[in-house]
Amino acid sequence: MNIILLGPPGAGKGTQARYLVDTRNMIQLSTGDMLREAKDSGTEMGKIVADVMARGDLVTDEIVIGLIREKLEGDKAGGFIFDGFPRTLAQADALAELLEEKGEKLDAVVEMQVDDAALVSRITGRSTCGDCGEVYHDETKPWPADGKCTNCGGTTQKRRADDNEDSLKQRLMEYYKKTSPLIGYYYAKGQLSSVDGLGEIDGVRAAISAILDA
Ligand code: AP5
């Protein structure tokens, strides 16, 4: 099963993708994580994208499509979760072509609906485990008091450089200008389902599971 999690920054795509990886043996393909990895390891491409990401702008279609193409060559296990990809109509068309080349199809596009006011607090309160990537939030899922990640025991709490109000405004602007048209695109293709992303994490999980099991 191959699915897209679609939603604005902070909608909970990464949080839900991790759960699907654990419970359905799926592979999370987060273009944001891939780009951050390239940035941290100081590759040429990482240097090119660093400023773009810090500003909250989108990286070029060519770069992210190339990253996804490479990943589709590898193990597909229980299927792919596209998290943060596609983000433009050109990326959506490229994904359709890549899947077709591999004899694969897209089984569901899950739009996570969250109101903009909630996103500021979600983004500015977010941290992750530097070792396993478990996602935390200062209010709803605080970093453990003993300083150890509940998932892996790691002790490094990380915050993203673009998780501030200024970058978030730009990320939201990019989302509404370039990514939100994908909602209509997938609706017209008969592939779109929507969940209320404002509920408790477990409730959102259940809603997504119901769509995937239908
Ligand atoms: P990317 O890394 O994809 O970031 P994003 O889309 O902005 O999404 P986030 O990771 O910020 O949010 P999320 O929806 O995963 O939320 P999370 O689960 O963490 O992209 C970063 C940058 O890379 C882009 O700006 C762009 O520059 C570049 N880029 C990436 N892909 C690209 C592409 N395809 N094309 C071009 N450029 C690209 O949750 C957020 C917080 O909320 C957490 O603290 C979590 O604990 C909490 N939370 C989650 N769910 C709930 C809930 N139900 N209730 C309460 N709290 C919750």
Side-chain angles (χ1 to χ4, degrees):
M1 173 171 276
N2 300 308
I3 68 163
I4 294 174
L5 295 180
L6 183 63
K13 304 180 294 294
T15 301
Q16 297 299 332
R18 289 182 64 79
Y19 176 72
L20 294 172
V21 168
D22 290 345
T23 55
R24 294 177 186 248
N25 190 32
M26 295 178 81
I27 294 182
Q28 178 186 8
L29 296 184
S30 158
T31 38
D33 286 348
M34 294 174 209
L35 292 165
R36 276 185 289 279
E37 216 175 278
K39 194 167 63 101
D40 293 347
S41 54
T43 63
E44 271 316 301
M45 189 259 279
K47 287 179 199 155
I48 294 170
V49 300
D51 287 345
V52 178
M53 291 176 76
R55 280 198 306 271
D57 289 332
L58 289 190
V59 170
T60 64
D61 289 336
E62 196 190 357
I63 288 180
V64 288
I65 291 167
L67 289 170
I68 290 289
R69 181 182 287 116
E70 236 173 71
K71 296 288 178 184
L72 293 185
E73 296 297 332
D75 179 19
K76 67 182 166 83
F80 295 112
I81 306 158
F82 297 98
D83 163 9
F85 179 91
R87 263 174 149 101
T88 63
L89 290 166
Q91 292 178 23
D93 285 339
L95 177 61
E97 278 171 30
L98 286 171
L99 288 174
E100 200 182 338
E101 273 171 29
K102 300 263 156 239
E104 296 280 333
K105 67 181 175 60
L106 196 55
D107 296 282
V109 178
V110 181
E111 179 207 1
M112 304 183 63
Q113 298 175 329
V114 187
D115 108 15
D116 292 347
L119 299 177
V120 179
S121 121
R122 283 204 185 174
I123 289 290
T124 52
R126 170 170 54 189
S127 65
T128 53
C129 169
D131 294 315
C132 73
E134 183 72 4
V135 189
Y136 292 90
H137 188 277
D138 294 343
E139 283 152 31
T140 55
K141 189 181 166 188
W143 180 254
D146 66 0
K148 289 186 187 155
C149 170
T150 48
N151 187 49
C152 75
T155 52
T156 319
Q157 183 187 19
K158 277 175 75 173
R159 291 193 193 265
R160 272 169 47 176
D162 60 345
D163 275 354
N164 58 70
E165 286 199 37
D166 285 343
S167 294
L168 176 61
K169 275 186 200 149
Q170 184 58 19
R171 284 157 68 192
L172 270 178
M173 193 67 82
E174 291 283 75
Y175 176 78
Y176 286 114
K177 283 202 297 202
K178 298 174 184 167
T179 309
S180 64
L182 296 184
I183 296 168
Y185 171 97
Y186 285 116
Y187 175 79
K189 286 186 150 205
Q191 292 172 312
L192 188 76
S193 302
S194 303
V195 296
D196 176 7
L198 272 183
E200 299 276 320
I201 291 175
D202 287 349
V204 180
R205 253 176 215 172
I208 294 175
S209 291
I211 290 168
L212 303 191
D213 292 338

